[in-house]
Amino acid sequence: MGNGRYRTVFHTALSPADAFAAARQELRSWLITKSVRQKIDIAAYDAGHAQLGDGIVLLRDSRTDGDGTQTSNWQLREHKDNGYWLSSLVVHAPGKIASQEERTWFWLDVEHVRKGDDGEIGPPSPAALPNLARKLLAMVDARDHWAELRPTPTIIRPDRVEELLEILTDERRRLPVVVASPHPRILFDTWKKTIDNVTRFLPGLASLYVMDPLAIEDFNRAVGFAFEVRSGGVRTYLPDLDLAIDEDAVRHRVLSGARIEADVRRSAQLLTAIPRQLSADGRLPEPLSRLTRGTFASRAARSTAAESPAIPSYDFSILIQENVAIRGENGELRELLELAGYEERKLRENTADLQDDMIGTAAELETANQKIAELVDWVRVLRQRLASAGRAADAYVPTDTPTLLPTQLPEVLTRLKELDRVEFTGDDDPVWRLEEKAQSSTWAQTTWLVALALQDYAEAVVGHRFNGDFRRWCTEPPSGASAISAGKVKTDESESVQNNQKMRRLRILPVPAEVEPTGRIYMGAHIRIGGGAGMSAPRLHFYDDARGTGKIYIGYLGPHLPVKTTN
């Protein structure tokens, strides 16, 4: 879903004059900082010129509508990295405001537009957190309704727990709230520095809080067991939180303190992924919903041309210069049209992916609901029979070993050590890439159910109780055995993939030397993880050596590997 864009949108209580002044001041400060690494003419900026350097253009536009609404826009274009970087800052002061706290709105986008040798727009480089965002958040009292947006996490003392609870359950909150708990074995000030580090990519994308050790128990009692965070963990509370519905807790992910200690860099990436996607792809708030960056930039380009001095018709040298300038402006407008076309294509692709996921998820939900109904009927009949046999008390005894499904994919890799017939031999980087997606908790649960089914299958093969392959096992599972939908299991890739050396090589994956002396073997057998039937659904590739070493080896878990239809 994400296209590499960084976006932050927030409101302030600043007057329009103060908001516009703050934007100009911080934009100038940002350009000065950038000029250390590249030639940017600050004097040209101060004079209001568009050209600030070689390949660096700043378009500006301001307008006041009849109802008193004021809007200013700055759009900086820097040609580099096989394309150009586009940074757009909009400050908007509605004529009619919802409250004094929402007098002015700030909207900052930074993204890369990559252009290939053929002129086509390609996949962008991801934008880092811009220093301009940090500067603005430090300068103004930025808010997401009641939530504070700060460059670093805010400490919540006992007297502010109630305020944080109101922020969490605020129906008008648009952005996630990230709450970090104190670590039981690490001094608070030391752990606070770790939390600052692990949340360093989140300013502007979420409101950030770290609980004081004296406040954490009050907070956890208030939110309840299902929604608590403790032991150094960090929890991301998404919008539309309802603390009264325990089943909703799975949406609000927890990153454990142990995982943060083990790998701060990856933990920072995990924490950032969903807030960044929600911010980049989410709807703009109503006061900004009618604004578009393309309209601003094209109007700014036209106004720049209109402000050019009149040139006498007989001065051909100046006419030539003016013609060159107009061509440059036309080039800027063409690039804006290219960007609009690129965004439209991305929107169509994202819509298609969502449609694919929705159809697949709906089908899986229907299957799961039917299975649940059958199990409920089965349990009811068994309880009736036990009651008829005079053993009614036995009918309600809980199971000795309840199945606890993991909610994070890295946790699945850890828990595979509990299974003696299933081993993960692949690279965990693709697994972490999946963890950045919104559906990752569902994928983690599905993957664990797949692992349990592979375990039962391998046990049956080793014990000479089953002679078929894993797909047949899932088609006709023995009574009481773990299995998955046989439709998810493919015993090999298509012929086009098998016969394509480049794509086949991608499926030659690690195994122990006792399986294959070279340490790598072709794994065409794979299982679809998730609801989508197309490229959007992740894949698990495995090698069945149950009749050899007695194990199933998972060589890959991650996004769909390339096929001929992959662009």
Side-chain angles (χ1 to χ4, degrees):
M1 287 289 294
N3 57 7
R5 173 192 300 149
Y6 171 89
R7 168 175 289 174
T8 182
V9 176
F10 55 84
H11 61 78
T12 77
L14 290 175
S15 67
D18 289 340
F20 296 138
R24 286 191 294 269
Q25 176 182 331
E26 295 309 320
L27 181 60
R28 187 180 191 278
S29 174
W30 181 52
L31 290 173
I32 291 173
T33 303
K34 290 171 70 68
S35 67
V36 174
R37 296 188 183 89
Q38 58 190 122
K39 291 183 178 180
I40 297 179
D41 189 344
I42 303 301
Y45 168 80
D46 292 337
H49 298 318
Q51 193 77 30
L52 302 186
D54 185 18
I56 303 174
V57 177
L58 177 67
L59 300 178
R60 323 172 202 216
D61 181 59
S62 295
R63 78 163 191 256
T64 301
D65 296 337
D67 64 352
T69 297
Q70 302 175 62
T71 308
S72 287
N73 177 68
W74 298 263
Q75 192 170 96
L76 179 70
R77 182 149 331 165
E78 304 167 82
H79 289 262
K80 59 180 180 179
D81 299 334
N82 298 320
Y84 55 86
W85 285 93
L86 191 65
S87 304
S88 175
L89 173 62
V90 177
V91 180
H92 181 69
K96 295 181 180 179
I97 59 176
S99 68
Q100 287 300 316
E101 289 72 31
E102 300 177 43
R103 294 180 70 187
T104 48
W105 289 82
F106 287 70
W107 168 15
L108 173 64
D109 275 6
V110 177
E111 62 188 311
H112 180 244
V113 180
R114 184 183 300 277
K115 299 186 71 174
D117 295 336
D118 56 0
E120 288 293 314
I121 292 180
S125 300
L129 171 65
N131 281 330
L132 179 56
R134 290 189 184 276
K135 289 176 178 292
L136 288 170
L137 294 175
M139 175 75 170
V140 305
D141 183 20
R143 298 274 174 162
D144 171 27
H145 201 221
W146 295 332
E148 306 162 72
L149 300 181
R150 300 285 182 265
T152 57
T154 299
I155 298 176
I156 296 296
R157 310 291 185 189
D159 60 341
R160 293 195 63 189
V161 169
E162 191 65 33
E163 178 187 347
L164 179 57
L165 293 173
E166 291 179 355
I167 290 171
L168 288 177
T169 55
D170 179 12
E171 294 181 353
R172 293 185 59 189
R173 174 167 65 87
R174 298 180 305 106
L175 302 178
V177 175
V178 175
V179 178
S181 61
H183 199 288
R185 294 180 288 99
I186 299 176
L187 291 175
F188 178 72
D189 289 344
T190 303
W191 187 243
K192 171 65 165 57
K193 292 177 182 177
T194 300
I195 296 302
D196 288 348
N197 192 10
V198 84
T199 59
R200 65 188 183 277
F201 303 130
L202 282 171
L205 306 176
S207 54
L208 312 174
Y209 302 93
V210 57
M211 302 302 300
D212 181 277
L214 299 177
I216 187 62
E217 292 305 325
D218 289 345
F219 174 80
N220 283 335
R221 275 194 297 271
V223 297
F225 176 75
F227 295 92
E228 70 177 14
V229 58
R230 59 176 66 250
S231 301
V234 177
R235 190 154 198 167
T236 301
Y237 296 93
L238 298 179
D240 301 317
L241 169 67
D242 190 339
L243 296 175
I245 304 176
D246 286 356
E247 290 78 5
D248 186 48
V250 70
R251 282 199 310 124
H252 311 281
R253 298 186 184 179
V254 180
L255 189 63
S256 70
R259 189 166 297 282
I260 293 171
E261 285 185 88
D263 196 330
V264 172
R265 181 184 64 84
R266 272 184 167 166
S267 296
Q269 293 172 345
L270 278 181
L271 279 177
T272 306
I274 290 180
R276 182 165 180 138
Q277 180 179 319
L278 290 175
S279 182
D281 297 332
R283 292 180 180 176
L284 290 169
E286 195 278 331
L288 300 175
S289 60
R290 291 181 175 84
L291 306 181
T292 64
R293 296 174 304 160
T295 301
F296 281 129
S298 59
R299 186 169 59 241
R302 287 196 299 271
S303 65
T304 300
E307 291 168 4
S308 300
I311 306 299
S313 59
Y314 55 81
D315 194 336
F316 291 105
S317 63
I318 299 180
L319 280 174
I320 291 172
Q321 293 176 13
E322 183 68 11
N323 186 45
V324 171
I326 291 173
R327 286 184 177 180
E329 290 159 3
N330 286 339
E332 295 292 332
L333 291 174
R334 280 197 302 272
E335 287 181 346
L336 284 170
L337 289 173
E338 290 173 1
L339 176 61
Y342 166 73
E343 290 185 336
E344 183 181 355
R345 289 196 301 274
K346 285 297 296 181
L347 182 61
R348 286 199 300 266
E349 291 172 8
N350 292 342
T351 302
D353 285 345
L354 283 173
Q355 182 78 1
D356 184 33
D357 286 342
M358 183 180 68
I359 293 172
T361 301
E364 286 207 334
L365 184 59
E366 290 176 11
T367 303
N369 285 339
Q370 181 61 41
K371 186 68 174 178
I372 290 170
E374 292 172 1
L375 291 174
V376 168
D377 288 342
W378 191 7
V379 169
R380 184 176 63 251
V381 170
L382 288 175
R383 283 175 171 170
Q384 289 172 349
R385 290 176 180 174
L386 284 170
S388 299
R391 299 175 57 190
D394 293 339
Y396 296 91
V397 175
T399 178
D400 294 332
T401 56
T403 299
L404 299 176
L405 297 178
T407 57
Q408 295 180 330
L409 284 159
E411 182 186 353
V412 174
L413 301 188
T414 301
R415 289 187 60 181
L416 282 177
K417 297 173 184 176
E418 301 171 14
L419 310 180
D420 60 349
R421 298 294 179 188
V422 182
E423 183 177 337
F424 181 76
T425 58
D427 183 1
D428 60 358
D429 278 344
V431 180
W432 283 85
R433 289 205 300 274
L434 290 182
E435 185 64 21
E436 296 175 357
K437 304 296 183 181
Q439 309 97 311
S440 65
S441 59
T442 303
W443 293 339
Q445 294 177 342
T446 301
T447 303
W448 182 244
L449 294 176
V450 167
L452 294 179
L454 289 170
Q455 170 76 13
D456 281 7
Y457 160 73
E459 282 282 5
V461 170
V462 171
H464 304 289
R465 300 189 304 275
F466 187 75
N467 294 320
D469 59 16
F470 183 62
R471 193 175 195 283
R472 183 181 164 195
W473 170 272
C474 294
T475 303
E476 302 172 0
S479 177
S482 296
I484 61 172
S485 169
K488 288 178 171 288
V489 184
K490 301 295 181 184
T491 56
D492 204 346
E493 292 282 14
S494 64
E495 287 189 10
S496 61
V497 172
Q498 295 180 51
N499 297 330
N500 183 296
Q501 289 302 312
K502 181 178 179 181
M503 289 186 286
R504 185 181 178 88
R505 277 197 301 271
L506 293 173
R507 291 154 175 83
I508 298 177
L509 299 163
V511 289
E514 58 264 33
V515 177
E516 167 58 45
T518 63
R520 301 182 73 83
I521 201 166
Y522 173 70
M523 296 191 189
H526 60 275
I527 298 168
R528 174 168 50 85
I529 306 294
M535 295 295 295
S536 61
R539 296 295 191 269
L540 180 153
H541 285 256
F542 68 96
Y543 180 72
D544 182 353
D545 199 42
R547 292 173 176 83
T549 58
K551 285 189 173 186
I552 307 295
Y553 298 96
I554 299 174
Y556 177 83
L557 173 60
H560 197 308
L561 290 171
V563 296
K564 276 197 172 181
T565 56
T566 307
N567 186 350

